Amino acid sequence: MKALRITEKSGKAVFCQIDTPSPTATQIQVEIKACGLNFADLLIQNGTYQDIPAAPFTMGMEIAGVVSATGESVQGLKCGDRVAVYAGQGGFAEHGVFEADRAVRLPDSMSFEQAAAFQIAYGTSHMALSHRARLLPGETLLVTGAAGGVGLTAVEIGKLMGATVIAQARGADKLAVAERAGADHLVEAGEDLRERVLALGGADVVYDAVGGDAFRAAFRACRPEGRLISIGFASGDVPQIPANHLMVKNLTAIGFYIGGYQNFRPEVVHDSFATLFDWFEQGKLHPHISHTLPLDRVFEGFDLLRERRSTGKVVITMDN
């Protein structure tokens, strides 16, 4: 079968023909229908991601498809079931094998494309805002990079949790996307973020996937007892936090990486996904996919992320 592989450490992604994998006792084999793109896919290719599998491996972190075989110890799933899996690898291929306990059965109303765009972005935002930052109704949430894959879901979930949401993004089109997701106030990326946020009363919680100048401005725009969640550094600039300023304003700096929870507290991930899929079925969440491309055009998808030309998620399908 065809698969997009990293064949050596820090190597370039290339298409390969490999044998279709068979499941072990605890795994399922999935006929993959769609795979979501993530900014982490770019970092993996650069060798700068914090959790890169040992080469060789098939890229693609989150998939949706149909169970095509099950290992002898698997219970609760059968051939023909529609599932999503956040596995961290194995997604850019026609078939993949994944641990059964990582699979989530899809609601009938959710398409494969929606499912492939769902788990990492929504899971990251929900767990960061609810489990880590303890966002409360009536608080003010500032989201940087608010039209991106995780940023847009933070806007949507923050609003759903009862917050007033300030969204920062670059350009009118991206700000309009954030506004449709529920943002109450919009800040153009070229404006003085600190000044605008303070004029609105300051931020109780900052959700930052950008880093650099955006983080530094947001840091200075926090109210006393504010919480700053660091999700990533799309700008390429990892900011340094002045501890004395944390002390003076009684601020809390919070790191969040959903993959870590998969390893040391998987029950938190499981509970979050259960809540999110329930919200989807209730019509409360609306995954935004700006581009859907076939596997042959996956490098175009990488360029969309690299050049900041997408909003929400980019999804790769296995149908040409």
Side-chain angles (χ1 to χ4, degrees), residues 1-5 14-20 94 296:
M1 68 174 186
K2 185 177 185 178
L4 185 71
R5 307 268 285 174
V14 294
F15 281 115
C16 303
Q17 288 292 326
I18 63 173
D19 292 337
T20 300
E94 295 161 348
D296 285 345

Side-chain angles (χ1 to χ4, degrees), residues 1-317:
M1 68 174 186
K2 185 177 185 178
L4 185 71
R5 307 268 285 174
I6 298 288
T7 58
E8 57 188 42
K9 186 176 181 180
S10 300
K12 181 180 178 182
V14 294
F15 281 115
C16 303
Q17 288 292 326
I18 63 173
D19 292 337
T20 300
S22 298
T24 64
T26 60
Q27 292 179 328
I28 56 172
Q29 181 193 72
V30 178
E31 180 186 354
I32 299 171
K33 299 295 187 180
C35 182
L37 284 187
N38 292 277
F39 192 77
D41 292 314
L42 302 182
L43 300 180
I44 286 171
Q45 292 178 78
N46 293 337
T48 56
Y49 192 55
Q50 65 265 21
D51 189 13
I52 301 177
F57 66 94
T58 297
M59 293 186 65
M61 303 181 74
E62 55 181 334
I63 66 99
V66 178
V67 177
S68 49
T70 62
E72 59 187 21
S73 299
V74 173
Q75 297 181 351
L77 290 171
K78 63 184 186 304
C79 291
D81 284 346
R82 302 169 70 249
V83 296
V85 185
Y86 167 31
Q89 62 175 298
F92 294 132
E94 295 161 348
H95 290 84
V97 292
F98 311 100
E99 291 298 319
D101 61 6
R102 290 284 188 99
V104 178
R105 190 177 285 105
L106 298 184
D108 292 339
S109 58
M110 180 177 276
S111 70
F112 291 121
E113 290 79 10
Q114 288 174 319
F118 196 81
Q119 287 179 289
I120 291 178
Y122 279 102
T124 293
S125 292
H126 180 249
M127 291 174 62
L129 293 175
S130 63
H131 181 71
R132 295 289 282 137
R134 309 293 183 184
L135 178 68
L136 297 174
E139 290 191 314
T140 296
L141 168 67
L142 168 61
V143 181
T144 66
V150 291
L152 195 61
T153 61
V155 171
E156 194 174 8
I157 289 174
K159 191 65 179 177
L160 189 57
M161 292 176 67
T164 296
V165 181
I166 304 171
Q168 183 204 40
R170 187 172 299 280
D173 291 344
K174 290 186 176 182
L175 288 171
V177 170
E179 185 174 34
R180 289 194 293 272
D184 299 284
H185 305 284
L186 306 175
V187 181
E188 165 64 47
E191 296 182 69
D192 187 324
L193 180 63
R194 174 178 178 269
E195 181 179 300
R196 284 291 313 278
V197 174
L198 287 176
L200 294 168
D204 297 295
V205 174
V206 173
Y207 180 103
D208 175 59
V210 177
D213 290 339
F215 180 91
R216 286 184 278 270
F219 184 93
R220 299 174 66 204
C222 281
R223 292 174 175 167
E225 295 191 328
R227 290 91 76 200
L228 299 100
I229 319 167
S230 183
I231 301 296
F233 313 103
S235 67
D237 181 350
V238 180
Q240 303 303 302
I241 299 173
N244 58 323
H245 291 187
L246 288 176
M247 180 184 69
V248 170
K249 294 181 73 174
N250 290 286
L251 302 180
T252 301
I254 300 169
F256 182 79
Y257 167 49
I258 190 173
Y261 275 89
Q262 287 277 37
N263 296 325
F264 72 86
R265 288 197 66 188
E267 73 279 3
V268 177
V269 182
H270 178 273
D271 291 346
S272 176
F273 285 171
T275 296
L276 291 166
F277 279 100
D278 181 58
W279 282 352
F280 177 88
E281 289 190 274
Q282 294 179 45
K284 295 179 178 179
L285 298 178
H286 307 279
H288 177 85
I289 301 169
S290 65
H291 298 80
T292 302
L293 301 169
L295 182 60
D296 285 345
R297 296 172 60 189
V298 66
F299 291 105
E300 294 179 37
F302 292 147
D303 288 340
L304 288 170
L305 295 187
R306 187 178 294 109
E307 297 164 9
R308 310 288 196 272
R309 289 188 285 121
S310 60
T311 55
K313 293 284 282 193
V314 177
V315 172
I316 302 301
T317 64

